[in-house]
Coordinates of all heavy atoms in Angstrom, one line a residue:
M256 N 28.8 -21.4 -19.1 CA 28.4 -20.0 -19.4 C 29.2 -19.1 -18.4 O 29.2 -19.3 -17.2 CB 26.9 -19.9 -19.1 CG 26.4 -18.5 -19.3 SD 24.6 -18.5 -19.2 CE 24.3 -16.9 -18.9
K257 N 29.9 -18.1 -18.9 CA 30.7 -17.2 -18.1 C 29.8 -16.1 -17.6 O 29.1 -15.4 -18.4 CB 31.8 -16.7 -19.0 CG 32.7 -15.8 -18.2 CD 33.9 -15.3 -19.1 CE 34.7 -14.3 -18.3 NZ 35.8 -13.7 -19.1
M258 N 29.9 -15.8 -16.3 CA 29.1 -14.7 -15.7 C 30.0 -13.4 -15.9 O 31.2 -13.4 -15.6 CB 28.9 -14.9 -14.2 CG 27.9 -16.1 -14.0 SD 26.3 -15.7 -14.6 CE 25.6 -15.0 -13.1
M259 N 29.3 -12.4 -16.3 CA 30.0 -11.1 -16.5 C 29.8 -10.3 -15.2 O 28.8 -10.5 -14.5 CB 29.4 -10.3 -17.7 CG 29.4 -11.1 -18.9 SD 30.4 -10.5 -20.3 CE 30.7 -8.9 -20.1
A260 N 30.8 -9.5 -14.9 CA 30.7 -8.7 -13.7 C 29.9 -7.4 -13.9 O 29.8 -6.9 -15.1 CB 32.1 -8.2 -13.2
P261 N 29.2 -6.9 -12.9 CA 28.4 -5.7 -13.1 C 29.3 -4.6 -13.4 O 30.5 -4.6 -13.1 CB 27.7 -5.5 -11.7 CG 28.2 -6.5 -10.8 CD 29.1 -7.5 -11.6
P262 N 28.8 -3.6 -14.1 CA 29.7 -2.4 -14.5 C 30.3 -1.8 -13.2 O 29.6 -1.5 -12.2 CB 28.7 -1.5 -15.2 CG 27.5 -2.2 -15.4 CD 27.5 -3.4 -14.5
A263 N 31.6 -1.5 -13.3 CA 32.3 -0.8 -12.2 C 31.8 0.6 -11.9 O 31.9 1.1 -10.8 CB 33.8 -0.9 -12.4
N264 N 31.3 1.2 -12.9 CA 30.9 2.7 -12.8 C 29.5 2.9 -12.2 O 29.1 4.0 -12.1 CB 31.0 3.3 -14.2 CG 30.0 2.8 -15.2 OD1 29.3 1.8 -14.9 ND2 29.9 3.5 -16.3
A265 N 28.9 1.8 -11.8 CA 27.5 2.0 -11.3 C 27.5 2.9 -10.0 O 26.5 3.5 -9.8 CB 26.9 0.6 -11.0
M266 N 28.5 2.9 -9.3 CA 28.6 3.7 -8.0 C 29.4 4.9 -8.2 O 29.6 5.7 -7.2 CB 29.1 2.8 -6.9 CG 28.3 1.6 -6.5 SD 26.8 2.2 -5.6 CE 27.5 2.8 -4.1
E267 N 29.9 5.2 -9.4 CA 30.8 6.4 -9.6 C 30.0 7.7 -9.3 O 28.9 7.9 -9.7 CB 31.2 6.4 -11.0 CG 32.2 7.5 -11.4 CD 32.6 7.5 -12.8 OE1 32.8 6.4 -13.3 OE2 32.8 8.5 -13.4
G268 N 30.6 8.5 -8.4 CA 30.0 9.7 -8.0 C 29.0 9.7 -6.9 O 28.6 10.7 -6.4
V269 N 28.7 8.5 -6.4 CA 27.8 8.3 -5.2 C 28.7 8.2 -4.0 O 29.5 7.3 -3.9 CB 27.0 7.0 -5.4 CG1 26.1 6.8 -4.2 CG2 26.1 7.1 -6.7
V270 N 28.5 9.2 -3.1 CA 29.3 9.2 -1.9 C 28.5 8.6 -0.7 O 27.4 9.1 -0.4 CB 29.7 10.7 -1.5 CG1 30.5 10.7 -0.3 CG2 30.5 11.3 -2.7
T271 N 29.1 7.6 -0.1 CA 28.4 6.9 1.0 C 29.4 6.6 2.1 O 30.6 6.7 1.9 CB 27.7 5.6 0.6 OG1 28.7 4.7 0.1 CG2 26.7 5.9 -0.5
N272 N 28.9 6.1 3.2 CA 29.8 5.6 4.3 C 30.1 4.1 3.9 O 29.5 3.6 3.0 CB 29.2 5.7 5.7 CG 28.0 4.9 5.9 OD1 27.9 3.8 5.4 ND2 27.0 5.5 6.6
T273 N 31.1 3.6 4.6 CA 31.6 2.2 4.2 C 30.5 1.2 4.3 O 30.3 0.3 3.4 CB 32.7 1.8 5.1 OG1 33.7 2.9 5.1 CG2 33.4 0.5 4.7
T274 N 29.7 1.2 5.3 CA 28.6 0.2 5.5 C 27.6 0.3 4.4 O 27.2 -0.7 3.8 CB 27.9 0.3 6.9 OG1 28.9 0.3 7.9 CG2 26.9 -0.7 7.1
L275 N 27.1 1.5 4.1 CA 26.1 1.7 3.1 C 26.7 1.4 1.7 O 26.0 0.8 0.9 CB 25.6 3.1 3.1 CG 24.5 3.4 2.1 CD1 23.3 2.5 2.3 CD2 24.0 4.9 2.3
D276 N 27.9 1.7 1.5 CA 28.6 1.5 0.2 C 28.6 0.0 -0.1 O 28.2 -0.4 -1.2 CB 30.0 2.0 0.2 CG 30.6 1.9 -1.1 OD1 30.1 2.6 -2.1 OD2 31.7 1.2 -1.3
A277 N 28.9 -0.8 0.9 CA 28.9 -2.3 0.7 C 27.5 -2.8 0.4 O 27.4 -3.7 -0.5 CB 29.5 -3.0 1.9
R278 N 26.5 -2.3 1.0 CA 25.1 -2.8 0.8 C 24.7 -2.3 -0.6 O 24.0 -3.1 -1.3 CB 24.2 -2.2 1.9 CG 24.5 -2.8 3.3 CD 23.6 -2.2 4.3 NE 22.2 -2.7 4.1 CZ 21.2 -2.2 4.9 NH1 21.4 -1.3 5.8 NH2 20.0 -2.7 4.7
L279 N 25.0 -1.1 -1.0 CA 24.6 -0.7 -2.3 C 25.3 -1.4 -3.4 O 24.7 -1.7 -4.5 CB 24.9 0.8 -2.5 CG 24.0 1.7 -1.6 CD1 24.4 3.2 -1.8 CD2 22.5 1.6 -1.8
K280 N 26.5 -1.8 -3.2 CA 27.3 -2.6 -4.2 C 26.6 -4.0 -4.4 O 26.5 -4.5 -5.5 CB 28.7 -2.7 -3.9 CG 29.5 -1.4 -4.1 CD 30.9 -1.6 -3.8 CE 31.6 -0.2 -4.1 NZ 33.0 -0.2 -3.7
V281 N 26.1 -4.6 -3.3 CA 25.4 -5.8 -3.4 C 24.1 -5.7 -4.2 O 23.8 -6.5 -5.0 CB 25.1 -6.4 -2.0 CG1 24.1 -7.6 -2.0 CG2 26.4 -6.8 -1.3
L282 N 23.4 -4.5 -3.9 CA 22.2 -4.2 -4.7 C 22.5 -4.1 -6.1 O 21.7 -4.6 -7.0 CB 21.5 -3.0 -4.1 CG 20.3 -2.5 -4.7 CD1 19.2 -3.6 -4.6 CD2 19.8 -1.3 -4.1
V283 N 23.6 -3.4 -6.5 CA 23.9 -3.2 -7.9 C 24.2 -4.5 -8.6 O 23.7 -4.8 -9.7 CB 25.2 -2.2 -8.0 CG1 25.7 -2.3 -9.4 CG2 24.8 -0.8 -7.6
A284 N 25.0 -5.4 -7.9 CA 25.3 -6.7 -8.5 C 24.0 -7.5 -8.6 O 23.8 -8.2 -9.7 CB 26.3 -7.4 -7.6
S285 N 23.1 -7.5 -7.6 CA 21.9 -8.3 -7.7 C 21.0 -7.9 -8.8 O 20.4 -8.7 -9.5 CB 21.2 -8.2 -6.3 OG 21.9 -8.7 -5.3
T286 N 20.9 -6.5 -8.9 CA 20.0 -6.0 -10.0 C 20.6 -6.3 -11.4 O 19.9 -6.7 -12.3 CB 19.9 -4.5 -9.8 OG1 19.4 -4.2 -8.5 CG2 18.9 -3.9 -10.9
Y287 N 21.9 -6.2 -11.5 CA 22.5 -6.5 -12.8 C 22.3 -7.9 -13.2 O 21.9 -8.2 -14.3 CB 24.0 -6.2 -12.7 CG 24.8 -6.5 -13.9 CD1 24.8 -5.7 -15.0 CD2 25.5 -7.7 -14.0 CE1 25.5 -6.0 -16.2 CE2 26.2 -8.0 -15.1 CZ 26.2 -7.2 -16.2 OH 26.9 -7.5 -17.3
F288 N 22.5 -8.9 -12.2 CA 22.4 -10.3 -12.6 C 20.9 -10.7 -12.8 O 20.6 -11.6 -13.6 CB 23.1 -11.2 -11.5 CG 24.6 -11.0 -11.6 CD1 25.3 -10.7 -10.4 CD2 25.3 -11.3 -12.7 CE1 26.7 -10.6 -10.5 CE2 26.7 -11.2 -12.8 CZ 27.3 -10.8 -11.7
T289 N 20.0 -10.0 -12.1 CA 18.6 -10.3 -12.3 C 18.3 -9.9 -13.7 O 17.6 -10.7 -14.4 CB 17.7 -9.5 -11.3 OG1 18.0 -9.9 -10.0 CG2 16.2 -9.7 -11.6
R290 N 18.7 -8.8 -14.2 CA 18.5 -8.3 -15.6 C 19.1 -9.3 -16.6 O 18.5 -9.7 -17.5 CB 19.0 -6.9 -15.8 CG 18.9 -6.4 -17.1 CD 17.5 -6.0 -17.5 NE 17.4 -5.4 -18.8 CZ 16.4 -4.8 -19.2 NH1 15.3 -4.7 -18.5 NH2 16.4 -4.2 -20.4
Q291 N 20.4 -9.7 -16.3 CA 21.1 -10.6 -17.2 C 20.4 -12.0 -17.3 O 20.4 -12.6 -18.4 CB 22.5 -10.8 -16.8 CG 23.4 -9.6 -16.8 CD 23.5 -9.1 -18.3 OE1 23.8 -9.9 -19.2 NE2 23.3 -7.8 -18.4
N292 N 19.8 -12.4 -16.2 CA 19.1 -13.7 -16.2 C 17.6 -13.7 -16.4 O 16.9 -14.7 -16.3 CB 19.4 -14.4 -14.9 CG 20.9 -14.7 -14.7 OD1 21.6 -15.1 -15.6 ND2 21.4 -14.5 -13.5
Q293 N 17.2 -12.5 -16.8 CA 15.7 -12.3 -17.1 C 14.9 -12.7 -15.9 O 13.8 -13.3 -16.1 CB 15.3 -12.9 -18.4 CG 16.1 -12.4 -19.6 CD 15.7 -13.1 -20.8 OE1 15.1 -14.2 -20.8 NE2 16.1 -12.6 -21.9
G294 N 15.3 -12.4 -14.7 CA 14.6 -12.7 -13.5 C 13.6 -11.7 -13.1 O 13.4 -10.7 -13.8
T295 N 12.9 -11.9 -12.0 CA 11.9 -11.0 -11.5 C 12.5 -10.1 -10.5 O 13.1 -10.6 -9.6 CB 10.7 -11.8 -10.9 OG1 10.2 -12.7 -11.9 CG2 9.6 -10.9 -10.4
Y296 N 12.2 -8.8 -10.6 CA 12.8 -7.8 -9.7 C 11.9 -7.8 -8.4 O 10.7 -8.0 -8.4 CB 12.8 -6.4 -10.3 CG 13.7 -6.3 -11.4 CD1 13.3 -6.2 -12.7 CD2 15.1 -6.2 -11.2 CE1 14.2 -6.1 -13.8 CE2 16.0 -6.0 -12.2 CZ 15.6 -6.0 -13.5 OH 16.4 -5.8 -14.5
R297 N 12.6 -7.4 -7.3 CA 11.9 -7.1 -6.1 C 11.7 -5.6 -6.0 O 12.3 -4.9 -6.8 CB 12.8 -7.6 -4.9 CG 13.2 -9.1 -4.9 CD 12.1 -10.0 -4.6 NE 11.7 -9.8 -3.2 CZ 10.8 -10.5 -2.6 NH1 10.1 -11.3 -3.3 NH2 10.5 -10.3 -1.4
N298 N 10.9 -5.2 -5.1 CA 10.7 -3.7 -4.9 C 11.8 -3.1 -4.1 O 12.5 -3.8 -3.3 CB 9.4 -3.5 -4.2 CG 8.2 -3.9 -5.1 OD1 8.2 -3.7 -6.3 ND2 7.3 -4.6 -4.5
L299 N 12.1 -1.9 -4.3 CA 13.1 -1.1 -3.6 C 12.5 0.2 -3.2 O 12.0 0.9 -4.0 CB 14.3 -0.9 -4.5 CG 15.4 0.0 -4.0 CD1 16.1 -0.7 -2.7 CD2 16.5 0.2 -5.0
L300 N 12.6 0.5 -1.9 CA 12.1 1.8 -1.4 C 13.3 2.5 -0.8 O 13.9 1.9 0.1 CB 11.0 1.6 -0.4 CG 10.6 2.9 0.3 CD1 9.9 3.9 -0.6 CD2 9.6 2.5 1.5
M301 N 13.6 3.7 -1.3 CA 14.7 4.5 -0.6 C 14.1 5.7 0.0 O 13.2 6.3 -0.5 CB 15.7 4.9 -1.7 CG 16.5 3.7 -2.3 SD 17.8 4.2 -3.4 CE 16.8 4.7 -4.8
Y302 N 14.5 6.0 1.2 CA 14.0 7.1 1.9 C 15.1 7.9 2.6 O 16.2 7.3 2.8 CB 12.9 6.7 2.9 CG 13.5 5.8 4.0 CD1 13.9 6.3 5.2 CD2 13.6 4.4 3.8 CE1 14.4 5.5 6.2 CE2 14.1 3.6 4.8 CZ 14.5 4.1 6.0 OH 15.0 3.3 7.0
G303 N 14.9 9.1 2.9 CA 15.9 9.9 3.6 C 15.6 11.4 3.3 O 14.8 11.7 2.4
P304 N 16.4 12.2 3.9 CA 16.2 13.7 3.7 C 16.7 14.0 2.3 O 17.4 13.3 1.6 CB 17.1 14.3 4.7 CG 18.0 13.3 5.2 CD 17.3 12.0 5.0
P305 N 16.2 15.2 1.8 CA 16.6 15.6 0.4 C 18.1 15.8 0.4 O 18.8 16.2 1.4 CB 15.9 17.0 0.3 CG 14.8 17.0 1.3 CD 15.2 16.1 2.4
G306 N 18.7 15.6 -0.8 CA 20.1 15.8 -1.0 C 21.0 14.8 -0.5 O 22.2 15.0 -0.4
T307 N 20.5 13.6 -0.3 CA 21.4 12.5 0.2 C 21.8 11.5 -0.8 O 22.5 10.5 -0.5 CB 20.7 11.8 1.4 OG1 19.5 11.3 1.0 CG2 20.5 12.7 2.6
G308 N 21.4 11.7 -2.1 CA 21.9 10.9 -3.2 C 21.0 9.8 -3.6 O 21.4 8.9 -4.4
K309 N 19.8 9.8 -3.1 CA 18.8 8.7 -3.5 C 18.6 8.7 -5.0 O 18.6 7.6 -5.6 CB 17.5 8.8 -2.7 CG 17.6 8.8 -1.2 CD 16.3 9.0 -0.5 CE 15.7 10.4 -0.8 NZ 16.4 11.5 -0.3
T310 N 18.3 9.8 -5.5 CA 17.9 9.9 -7.0 C 19.2 9.6 -7.8 O 19.1 8.8 -8.8 CB 17.4 11.2 -7.3 OG1 16.2 11.5 -6.5 CG2 17.0 11.3 -8.8
L311 N 20.3 10.1 -7.4 CA 21.6 9.8 -8.1 C 21.8 8.3 -8.2 O 22.1 7.7 -9.2 CB 22.7 10.5 -7.5 CG 24.1 10.2 -8.0 CD1 24.2 10.7 -9.5 CD2 25.2 10.9 -7.2
F312 N 21.7 7.7 -7.0 CA 21.9 6.2 -7.0 C 20.9 5.5 -7.8 O 21.3 4.6 -8.6 CB 21.9 5.7 -5.5 CG 22.0 4.2 -5.5 CD1 23.2 3.6 -5.8 CD2 20.9 3.4 -5.2 CE1 23.3 2.2 -5.8 CE2 21.0 2.1 -5.2 CZ 22.2 1.4 -5.5
A313 N 19.7 5.8 -7.7 CA 18.6 5.2 -8.5 C 18.9 5.3 -10.0 O 18.7 4.3 -10.8 CB 17.2 5.7 -8.2
K314 N 19.3 6.5 -10.5 CA 19.6 6.7 -11.9 C 20.8 5.8 -12.3 O 20.8 5.2 -13.3 CB 19.9 8.1 -12.2 CG 18.8 9.0 -12.2 CD 19.2 10.5 -12.5 CE 18.0 11.4 -12.4 NZ 18.4 12.8 -12.7
K315 N 21.8 5.8 -11.5 CA 23.0 5.0 -11.8 C 22.7 3.5 -11.8 O 23.2 2.7 -12.6 CB 24.2 5.3 -10.9 CG 24.7 6.7 -11.1 CD 26.0 6.9 -10.4 CE 26.6 8.2 -10.9 NZ 27.3 8.1 -12.1
L316 N 21.9 3.1 -10.8 CA 21.4 1.7 -10.8 C 20.7 1.3 -12.1 O 20.9 0.3 -12.7 CB 20.6 1.4 -9.5 CG 20.0 0.0 -9.4 CD1 21.1 -1.0 -9.2 CD2 19.0 0.0 -8.2
A317 N 19.7 2.1 -12.5 CA 19.0 1.9 -13.7 C 19.9 1.8 -14.9 O 19.8 0.9 -15.7 CB 17.9 2.9 -13.8
N318 N 20.8 2.8 -15.0 CA 21.7 2.9 -16.2 C 22.6 1.7 -16.2 O 22.8 1.1 -17.3 CB 22.5 4.2 -16.2 CG 21.6 5.4 -16.5 OD1 20.6 5.2 -17.2 ND2 22.0 6.5 -16.1
S319 N 23.2 1.3 -15.1 CA 24.1 0.2 -15.1 C 23.4 -1.2 -15.4 O 24.1 -2.1 -15.8 CB 24.9 0.1 -13.8 OG 24.0 -0.3 -12.7
S320 N 22.1 -1.2 -15.1 CA 21.4 -2.5 -15.4 C 20.6 -2.4 -16.6 O 19.8 -3.3 -16.9 CB 20.5 -2.8 -14.2 OG 21.2 -2.9 -13.0
N321 N 20.7 -1.3 -17.4 CA 20.0 -1.2 -18.6 C 18.5 -1.2 -18.5 O 17.8 -1.8 -19.2 CB 20.4 -2.2 -19.7 CG 20.1 -1.8 -21.1 OD1 19.9 -0.6 -21.4 ND2 19.9 -2.8 -21.9
M322 N 18.0 -0.5 -17.4 CA 16.6 -0.4 -17.1 C 16.1 1.0 -17.3 O 16.9 2.0 -17.4 CB 16.3 -0.8 -15.6 CG 16.7 -2.2 -15.3 SD 16.3 -2.6 -13.6 CE 17.0 -1.4 -12.6
D323 N 14.8 1.2 -17.5 CA 14.2 2.5 -17.6 C 14.1 3.1 -16.2 O 14.2 2.4 -15.2 CB 12.8 2.4 -18.1 CG 12.8 1.9 -19.6 OD1 13.7 2.3 -20.3 OD2 11.9 1.2 -20.0
F324 N 14.0 4.4 -16.1 CA 14.0 5.2 -14.9 C 13.0 6.3 -15.0 O 12.9 7.0 -15.9 CB 15.4 5.7 -14.6 CG 15.5 6.6 -13.4 CD1 15.6 6.0 -12.1 CD2 15.4 7.9 -13.4 CE1 15.6 6.7 -11.0 CE2 15.5 8.7 -12.3 CZ 15.6 8.1 -11.0
A325 N 12.2 6.4 -13.9 CA 11.2 7.5 -13.9 C 11.1 7.9 -12.4 O 11.3 7.2 -11.5 CB 9.8 7.0 -14.3
I326 N 10.8 9.2 -12.2 CA 10.7 9.8 -10.9 C 9.2 10.2 -10.7 O 8.6 10.9 -11.6 CB 11.5 11.1 -10.7 CG1 13.0 10.7 -10.9 CG2 11.3 11.7 -9.4 CD1 13.9 11.9 -10.8
I327 N 8.6 9.7 -9.7 CA 7.2 10.0 -9.3 C 7.2 10.4 -7.8 O 7.8 9.6 -7.0 CB 6.3 8.8 -9.6 CG1 6.3 8.4 -11.0 CG2 4.9 9.2 -9.1 CD1 5.5 7.2 -11.3
T328 N 6.7 11.5 -7.5 CA 6.6 11.9 -6.1 C 5.2 12.0 -5.7 O 4.2 12.0 -6.5 CB 7.2 13.3 -5.9 OG1 6.4 14.3 -6.6 CG2 8.7 13.4 -6.4
G329 N 5.0 12.0 -4.4 CA 3.6 12.1 -3.8 C 2.9 13.4 -4.3 O 1.7 13.4 -4.5
G330 N 3.7 14.5 -4.5 CA 3.1 15.7 -5.0 C 2.5 15.6 -6.5 O 1.7 16.3 -6.9
D331 N 3.0 14.6 -7.2 CA 2.5 14.3 -8.5 C 1.2 13.6 -8.5 O 0.4 13.7 -9.4 CB 3.5 13.5 -9.3 CG 4.8 14.1 -9.6 OD1 4.9 15.4 -9.7 OD2 5.9 13.4 -9.6
I332 N 1.0 12.8 -7.4 CA -0.2 12.0 -7.4 C -1.3 12.5 -6.5 O -2.5 12.4 -6.8 CB 0.2 10.6 -6.8 CG1 1.3 10.0 -7.8 CG2 -1.0 9.6 -6.7 CD1 2.0 8.8 -7.2
A333 N -0.9 13.2 -5.4 CA -1.9 13.7 -4.4 C -3.1 14.5 -5.0 O -4.2 14.3 -4.7 CB -1.2 14.5 -3.3
P334 N -2.8 15.4 -6.0 CA -3.9 16.3 -6.5 C -4.9 15.4 -7.3 O -6.0 15.9 -7.5 CB -3.2 17.2 -7.5 CG -1.8 17.3 -7.0 CD -1.5 15.9 -6.4
M335 N -4.6 14.2 -7.7 CA -5.5 13.4 -8.4 C -6.5 12.7 -7.5 O -7.5 12.2 -8.0 CB -4.7 12.3 -9.2 CG -3.8 12.8 -10.2 SD -3.0 11.4 -11.0 CE -1.6 12.3 -11.7
G336 N -6.3 12.7 -6.2 CA -7.2 12.1 -5.3 C -7.3 10.6 -5.6 O -6.3 9.9 -5.8
K337 N -8.6 10.1 -5.6 CA -8.8 8.7 -5.8 C -8.4 8.2 -7.2 O -8.1 7.0 -7.4 CB -10.3 8.4 -5.7 CG -10.8 8.6 -4.3 CD -12.3 8.3 -4.2 CE -12.8 8.5 -2.8 NZ -14.2 8.3 -2.7
E338 N -8.3 9.1 -8.2 CA -7.9 8.7 -9.5 C -6.4 8.6 -9.7 O -5.9 8.1 -10.7 CB -8.4 9.8 -10.5 CG -9.9 10.0 -10.5 CD -10.6 8.7 -10.9 OE1 -10.2 8.0 -11.8 OE2 -11.6 8.4 -10.2
G339 N -5.6 8.9 -8.6 CA -4.2 8.8 -8.7 C -3.7 7.4 -8.9 O -2.8 7.1 -9.7
V340 N -4.3 6.4 -8.2 CA -3.9 5.0 -8.3 C -4.1 4.6 -9.8 O -3.3 3.9 -10.4 CB -4.6 4.1 -7.3 CG1 -4.3 2.7 -7.6 CG2 -4.3 4.5 -5.9
T341 N -5.3 4.9 -10.3 CA -5.6 4.5 -11.7 C -4.6 5.1 -12.7 O -4.2 4.5 -13.6 CB -7.0 5.0 -12.1 OG1 -7.9 4.4 -11.1 CG2 -7.4 4.6 -13.5
A342 N -4.2 6.4 -12.4 CA -3.3 7.1 -13.3 C -1.9 6.4 -13.3 O -1.3 6.2 -14.3 CB -3.1 8.5 -12.9
I343 N -1.5 5.9 -12.1 CA -0.2 5.2 -11.9 C -0.3 3.9 -12.7 O 0.7 3.5 -13.4 CB 0.1 5.0 -10.5 CG1 0.4 6.3 -9.8 CG2 1.3 4.0 -10.3 CD1 1.6 7.1 -10.3
H344 N -1.4 3.2 -12.6 CA -1.5 1.9 -13.3 C -1.4 2.1 -14.8 O -0.8 1.3 -15.5 CB -2.9 1.2 -12.9 CG -2.8 0.6 -11.6 ND1 -2.3 -0.7 -11.4 CD2 -3.3 1.0 -10.4 CE1 -2.4 -1.0 -10.2 NE2 -3.0 0.0 -9.5
K345 N -2.0 3.2 -15.3 CA -2.0 3.5 -16.7 C -0.5 3.8 -17.2 O -0.1 3.3 -18.2 CB -2.8 4.7 -17.1 CG -4.3 4.4 -17.1 CD -5.1 5.6 -17.4 CE -6.6 5.3 -17.3 NZ -7.4 6.5 -17.6
V346 N 0.3 4.5 -16.3 CA 1.7 4.7 -16.7 C 2.4 3.4 -16.8 O 3.1 3.1 -17.8 CB 2.3 5.6 -15.6 CG1 3.9 5.6 -15.8 CG2 1.8 7.0 -15.6
F347 N 2.2 2.5 -15.8 CA 3.0 1.2 -15.9 C 2.4 0.3 -16.9 O 3.2 -0.6 -17.4 CB 3.0 0.6 -14.5 CG 4.0 1.3 -13.6 CD1 3.6 2.3 -12.6 CD2 5.4 1.2 -13.8 CE1 4.5 2.9 -11.8 CE2 6.3 1.9 -13.0 CZ 5.8 2.7 -12.0
D348 N 1.2 0.4 -17.2 CA 0.6 -0.5 -18.3 C 1.3 -0.2 -19.6 O 1.5 -1.1 -20.4 CB -0.9 -0.3 -18.4 CG -1.7 -0.9 -17.3 OD1 -1.1 -1.8 -16.6 OD2 -2.9 -0.6 -17.2
G349 N 1.7 1.1 -19.8 CA 2.4 1.4 -21.0 C 3.9 1.1 -21.0 O 4.5 1.0 -22.0
V350 N 4.4 0.8 -19.8 CA 5.8 0.4 -19.7 C 6.1 -1.0 -19.7 O 7.0 -1.5 -20.4 CB 6.4 1.0 -18.4 CG1 7.8 0.6 -18.2 CG2 6.3 2.6 -18.4
L351 N 5.2 -1.8 -19.0 CA 5.4 -3.2 -18.9 C 5.0 -3.9 -20.2 O 4.1 -3.6 -20.8 CB 4.6 -3.8 -17.7 CG 5.0 -3.3 -16.4 CD1 4.0 -3.8 -15.3 CD2 6.4 -3.7 -16.0
P352 N 5.8 -5.0 -20.5 CA 5.4 -5.8 -21.7 C 4.1 -6.5 -21.4 O 3.7 -6.7 -20.3 CB 6.5 -6.8 -21.9 CG 7.3 -6.8 -20.6 CD 7.0 -5.5 -19.9
A353 N 3.4 -7.0 -22.5 CA 2.2 -7.8 -22.3 C 2.4 -8.9 -21.3 O 3.4 -9.6 -21.3 CB 1.7 -8.3 -23.7
G354 N 1.5 -9.1 -20.4 CA 1.6 -10.1 -19.4 C 2.1 -9.6 -18.1 O 2.2 -10.3 -17.1
G355 N 2.6 -8.4 -18.1 CA 3.1 -7.7 -16.9 C 4.4 -8.1 -16.3 O 4.8 -7.7 -15.2
A356 N 5.2 -8.9 -17.0 CA 6.5 -9.3 -16.5 C 7.6 -9.0 -17.5 O 7.4 -8.8 -18.6 CB 6.5 -10.8 -16.2

């Protein structure tokens, strides 16, 4: 079975320093191959000040791996109080296939 390379355009337009660029390319390849092999994804948390490219990278990662992408912020959930967690579960229940995987 021949392994295909991850799309080269996954990092197009994302400006980073050399160290971060290398780490993100590994993440792109890992995500791509996980999707190709129907594996289980790990969680990813990106943090930093506004305007540093987190959302741009996340969109490109999702697109290059043929995954869905959604943005949820604390401001979307906080007004719901205790019901916020239940609301998030309902969103993901509609996204995940039966069985949760």
Side-chain angles (χ1 to χ4, degrees):
M256 180 174 161
K257 182 179 177 184
M258 293 294 269
M259 308 246 334
N264 66 348
M266 292 289 293
E267 185 178 323
V269 179
V270 178
T271 63
N272 65 41
T273 307
T274 305
L275 182 57
D276 188 60
R278 292 177 71 185
L279 293 178
K280 285 181 180 176
V281 168
L282 180 61
V283 167
S285 298
T286 303
Y287 176 79
F288 290 125
T289 298
R290 177 71 175 194
Q291 293 299 313
N292 297 318
Q293 299 177 347
T295 303
Y296 291 106
R297 305 286 291 179
N298 295 318
L299 173 65
L300 173 66
M301 292 185 287
Y302 63 94
T307 56
K309 299 177 299 293
T310 303
L311 174 64
F312 174 72
K314 284 180 184 179
K315 290 192 172 279
L316 178 64
N318 288 335
S319 70
S320 300
N321 198 25
M322 297 186 307
D323 294 324
F324 177 78
I326 298 174
I327 300 174
T328 66
D331 297 328
I332 301 166
M335 297 179 198
K337 294 179 182 178
E338 300 301 317
V340 173
T341 303
I343 294 297
H344 283 281
K345 286 180 183 177
V346 168
F347 285 102
D348 285 344
V350 173
L351 295 175

